[in-house]
Amino acid sequence: MNLRSDDHSLVVVVGAGGVGKTTLAASLGLMSARYGRDTLVMTFDPSLRLMDALGVGEHARDREVTVAAGTQGHLAASLLDAKQTFDRLVRRYAPDEAAANRILTNRFYEHLAANLAGILEYMAVERLFEVAAEGRYDRVVLDTPPTRHALDFLGAPSRIVGFLDSGALKLALRQWFDEKGRLKPAAHLGVLGRGVEGFLDRMVGMDLLREMAEFFQAFGPLFAGFRERAENVQALLKSPKTTFALVTAPGEERVPETLFFARHLVEGGYHLGPLVVNMVHPRASADLLARPDFGDGAHLLSWLGERDDRGVAAFRRLLERGQTLVDVPLLAQEPTDLPSLEALGRLVTDQLEGAPA
Amino acid sequence: MGLFEHLASRQLIVVTGKGGVGKTVITAVIGSLLADLGRRVLLLEVDPRESLHQVFDVPPSGGEIVRITAPVQDRDGAAPWSLSLQNLQPRQVIEALVRQHLHIELLTRRVMASPVFQHFIEGAPGLKELAVLSEAERVVRPRGKGRSAHAAFDVVVLDAPATGHGVSLLAAPHLVAEVIERGPIGAQARALTALVADPQRTGIVVVTRAEEMPAHETLELREALEEQVGRTPELLVVNALYPPFPTAAIEGSPDDRFLIDLWRRRREGNERELAQLATAWQGSRLELPMLPADRGLRLLAALRHEMLAQLDQAA
């Protein structure tokens, strides 16, 4: 990954929760704009200070706001909001306003839109597609939602499309409900069909199934659009113009999970960019330990330096040929303004530019 | 030890907090301290990739219940702690539930093989969370009648998913109960709503670090819990504090300048966030130091020691 070049129009920053993805995404976006590329940073719930640093607050929710960074390229930031993106998609792809309102007021949709597992990830991808289609930026840096495991980001869109897919649920519900959501006579279903129906009624009640049938009925015309875009987004994510920056913390217990994800990305046909080992404690000198006035703290700090050293070494050993490792030291404090974000960004880009291509 | 005895009477303790703050280790510490008090403890992990076993230096359990006893060198108390842990897959619970209600094997297989069922349990909001809580409730529910009634465990300590998902877990029963009004799932959702809402039966522990983002998320989490679950967490554990910076101005060798500056400013940041949490967080709070040990029994023993010392002090 080289932010000076035009090689990558999409940088996806992935990793487990708490490893510093959002701050890194912002600093990479800033560097990209510094290098003259019009850049959009898309993020979820950054810290207040990071929002201040970028100069974007709540008003950037679901919209792009220019960051006054004085960069050669234009820098914009946007906060993603899953529910609003979902609502907007329904409005856009519904055949008419009445159809859109039928969906938006359906009780099942209300629960679904806010609570569907992986909805944030899916809507990030949807929003990404909207932005990519508009083509107003040379580069988009996408921060991904805080999941425990980086893998969740890639899996979520297909899970949701699977859930929404008319092929399965609509056809299944059609066995029991007619076009108007009325329960059909069960005569044609046979013994097994009646058994399944009885089971579902006992388990969840026919009322819920009726609401679901209505929802999927109303959603029907939208499916083609959803599926097509899901396929386009998959193609975009697997394009050679897209690179994944995989972020991890340095502890050795992180190694198996991180390398598992790296392999999964490569095997899935995605383009893995740098592995960023973030928040690395620097090594202490022997002198530090010898100072009695430093107390237990010196012992802890030198242990942390050794632990992180071990972790980085383990990552390096297990890296596949051709992959780049960037180690970013733990900063004395989190970046709170544009200069400190840029300083962090430079720590990354200097290593990237020094690395073989 | 008042606070802990208070927690010890619960059937379910949910441990949540931002990703990367040490929830899993704290779950293990709390579980082992409850075991010290003679409670029969099951630690439940719901993450598909196991990590709880690392705290006890044992191999992953693959979904089975594993029994663990304190190693000899850590038997500081009169009776060594002993507890069980399990990595729970929500799908297994849902499939067991289907089996239990369907009775006919052919039907069961047909239901489970159908794409509708597969997509439904993957995507349906709240269903997996409900399954996890159901399983927790099942193992602490007394079986049998009268005086011979006996539960498999006294208390489940749940290593819950990170913040947002942690709230979803606790809010799931109510959410499902609103949508599904009938049948066994509706009844179960109502029963679990009552379990989660009852501070006598369910305890909530939030783990955080004294850094800007985790501390901010912690206060948001508290609000979300009050709003969506009607509950206030019992305990806040502030984990992994940098050690106090020596009061005298110190100058190390030039090689260590960056490191010493890092220590001073990270500790200042910790103190700033601690002060903020002390004002904004009403309720019990424990502060744990960052310790020079990898995840494993040695870290567990050291954290147990720290926590006990603070609990004694508080009492």
Side-chain angles (χ1 to χ4, degrees):
Chain A
M1 182 173 89
N2 185 344
L3 296 176
R4 278 185 201 277
S5 76
D6 283 326
D7 285 353
H8 296 118
S9 52
L10 174 61
V11 177
V12 186
V13 183
V14 287
V19 297
K21 284 190 296 289
T22 304
T23 307
L24 277 170
S27 67
L28 291 177
L30 179 58
M31 288 310 289
S32 169
R34 184 64 75 212
Y35 293 151
R37 302 294 178 287
D38 291 345
T39 305
L40 171 68
V41 177
M42 289 169 62
T43 185
F44 297 84
D45 288 333
S47 73
L48 291 173
R49 275 200 253 163
L50 184 61
M51 281 200 277
D52 286 347
L54 290 173
V56 298
E58 274 296 308
H59 61 290
R61 191 162 290 283
D62 209 34
R63 318 186 331 186
E64 293 140 39
V65 172
T66 296
V67 181
T71 46
Q72 195 192 337
H74 178 221
L75 179 63
S78 168
L79 295 178
L80 288 158
D81 185 296
K83 177 76 164 62
Q84 282 183 28
T85 305
F86 206 159
D87 287 357
R88 196 173 53 243
L89 284 171
V90 167
R91 282 204 194 85
R92 180 178 309 162
Y93 290 99
D96 53 56
E97 211 182 306
N101 286 336
R102 240 191 344 268
I103 295 172
L104 295 174
T105 56
N106 178 284
R107 199 165 62 116
F108 187 71
Y109 172 78
E110 279 175 34
H111 282 291
L112 191 78
N115 299 292
L116 198 54
I119 192 81
L120 267 175
E121 291 85 346
Y122 180 70
M123 288 305 151
V125 167
E126 279 289 349
R127 188 80 183 84
L128 185 64
F129 181 73
E130 289 179 346
V131 170
E134 287 165 13
R136 285 193 286 122
Y137 297 94
D138 299 323
R139 180 172 290 133
V140 175
V141 180
L142 174 70
D143 174 29
T144 52
T147 53
R148 183 125 184 210
H149 295 292
L151 208 59
D152 294 350
F153 173 72
L154 292 176
S158 64
R159 268 207 308 280
I160 300 227
V161 171
F163 183 74
L164 290 177
D165 194 303
S166 56
L169 274 169
K170 219 180 95 187
L171 281 179
L173 289 164
R174 196 179 282 161
Q175 292 184 6
W176 294 307
F177 298 96
D178 66 16
E179 298 293 302
K180 297 206 169 95
R182 284 181 306 228
L183 192 63
K184 283 182 182 174
H188 66 286
L189 293 174
V191 177
L192 274 180
R194 274 201 297 278
V196 173
E197 182 194 334
F199 167 71
L200 285 172
D201 189 31
R202 278 205 313 280
M203 292 298 278
V204 298
M206 273 295 156
D207 294 342
L208 172 67
L209 291 177
R210 186 171 299 113
E211 276 177 75
M212 284 175 64
E214 276 167 16
F215 169 77
F216 286 104
Q217 200 73 45
F219 215 87
L222 280 69
F223 276 121
F226 264 82
R227 209 178 9 237
E228 191 191 318
R229 275 196 322 291
E231 282 161 14
N232 285 336
V233 166
Q234 270 312 319
L236 175 68
L237 288 177
K238 290 188 179 179
S239 142
K241 300 285 280 179
T242 297
T243 186
F244 284 75
L246 176 54
V247 187
T248 178
E252 268 180 306
E253 74 271 9
R254 301 273 192 169
V255 173
E257 176 196 323
T258 304
L259 292 176
F260 170 80
F261 185 58
R263 252 195 303 281
H264 184 91
L265 276 174
V266 173
E267 281 164 13
Y270 302 92
H271 297 266
L272 179 62
L275 172 67
V276 182
V277 184
N278 197 17
M279 307 190 291
V280 178
H281 284 86
R283 285 295 294 260
S285 75
D287 178 59
L288 189 78
L289 272 172
R291 292 279 299 265
D293 52 333
F294 287 4
D296 289 347
H299 175 61
L300 174 73
L301 283 160
S302 89
W303 182 82
L304 287 170
E306 277 165 31
R307 179 200 68 179
D308 292 358
D309 228 34
R310 259 187 296 145
V312 173
F315 277 116
R316 267 191 213 290
R317 249 193 332 272
L318 293 164
L319 218 56
E320 305 275 328
R321 186 183 278 279
Q323 281 172 6
T324 312
L325 183 145
V326 173
D327 59 304
V328 181
L330 180 70
L331 303 175
Q333 60 186 44
E334 294 303 310
T336 51
D337 51 19
L338 290 168
S340 52
L341 267 182
E342 185 165 338
L344 172 64
R346 276 199 198 283
L347 283 173
V348 178
T349 52
D350 283 353
Q351 290 186 54
L352 285 175
E353 285 158 24
Chain B
M1 203 60 195
L3 170 69
F4 234 78
E5 272 149 13
H6 204 50
L7 267 184
S9 64
R10 308 293 199 284
Q11 293 179 305
L12 172 65
I13 294 173
V14 179
V15 183
T16 182
K18 186 181 180 349
V21 297
K23 278 187 300 294
T24 301
V25 173
I26 300 301
T27 300
V29 174
I30 290 176
S32 74
L33 290 176
L34 294 176
D36 282 347
L37 297 175
R39 307 286 286 168
R40 291 170 306 140
V41 177
L42 175 65
L43 304 182
L44 266 191
E45 175 181 47
V46 287
D47 200 300
R49 287 180 71 82
E50 298 186 37
S51 57
L52 195 49
H53 65 279
Q54 292 174 336
V55 187
F56 297 98
D57 292 337
V58 295
S61 69
E64 298 302 311
I65 293 186
V66 180
R67 187 150 185 83
I68 293 167
T69 305
V72 177
Q73 67 269 25
D74 290 340
R75 294 180 182 180
D76 35 21
W81 55 263
S82 161
L83 49 74
S84 300
L85 71 84
Q86 184 183 20
N87 181 279
L88 188 67
Q89 303 296 328
R91 287 186 76 95
Q92 291 169 359
V93 182
I94 294 172
E95 291 185 0
L97 199 71
V98 169
R99 228 174 231 117
Q100 191 189 324
H101 282 274
L102 261 182
H103 305 300
I104 309 164
E105 185 54 33
L106 178 62
L107 259 183
T108 307
R109 265 188 280 139
R110 192 179 145 127
V111 167
M112 285 188 201
S114 81
V116 188
F117 179 76
Q118 292 300 330
H119 287 307
F120 191 76
I121 63 172
E122 274 305 317
L127 207 58
K128 281 187 180 169
E129 288 86 352
L130 200 70
V132 169
L133 291 173
S134 293
E135 184 62 12
E137 191 269 343
R138 191 182 68 82
V139 300
V140 296
R141 191 195 316 141
R143 299 183 166 267
K145 284 192 180 147
R147 300 189 58 177
S148 64
H150 189 75
F153 292 96
D154 297 322
V155 57
V156 168
V157 187
L158 183 63
D159 182 9
T163 323
H165 303 281
V167 176
S168 308
L169 176 90
L170 289 166
H174 177 65
L175 173 79
V176 174
E178 269 197 346
V179 179
I180 305 178
E181 289 156 356
R182 303 174 42 195
I185 295 185
Q188 179 72 338
R190 282 193 301 279
L192 292 174
T193 307
L195 170 68
V196 166
D198 184 354
Q200 301 301 319
R201 294 166 68 203
T202 300
I204 303 172
V205 176
V206 179
V207 185
T208 189
R209 290 178 69 148
E211 286 162 17
E212 192 217 350
M213 282 193 60
H216 178 71
E217 244 187 74
T218 296
L219 297 175
E220 278 185 348
L221 171 65
R222 186 191 170 93
E223 253 175 59
L225 282 171
E226 275 166 13
E227 214 170 274
Q228 293 176 40
V229 192
R231 285 296 311 275
T232 316
E234 267 70 22
L235 175 64
L236 175 67
V237 178
V238 187
N239 194 24
L241 292 167
Y242 280 87
F245 193 73
T247 39
I250 55 170
E251 289 215 10
S253 81
D255 297 346
D256 293 323
R257 224 178 26 222
F258 180 77
L259 187 62
I260 289 171
D261 184 52
L262 176 92
W263 176 8
R264 182 172 59 80
R265 287 167 69 183
R266 283 277 156 185
R267 178 64 196 186
E268 279 170 10
N270 281 168
E271 283 169 7
R272 196 169 48 238
E273 297 303 330
L274 276 175
Q276 224 219 318
L277 285 170
T279 338
W281 184 276
Q282 291 101 19
S284 303
R285 200 175 69 244
L286 293 178
E287 295 167 12
L288 298 177
M290 198 183 289
L291 292 167
D294 283 315
R295 194 185 281 176
L297 280 169
R298 219 162 67 77
L299 179 63
L300 179 72
L303 285 172
R304 277 168 52 84
H305 184 76
E306 282 291 336
M307 223 179 204
L308 280 171
Q310 284 192 39
L311 289 166
D312 279 345
Q313 223 170 30

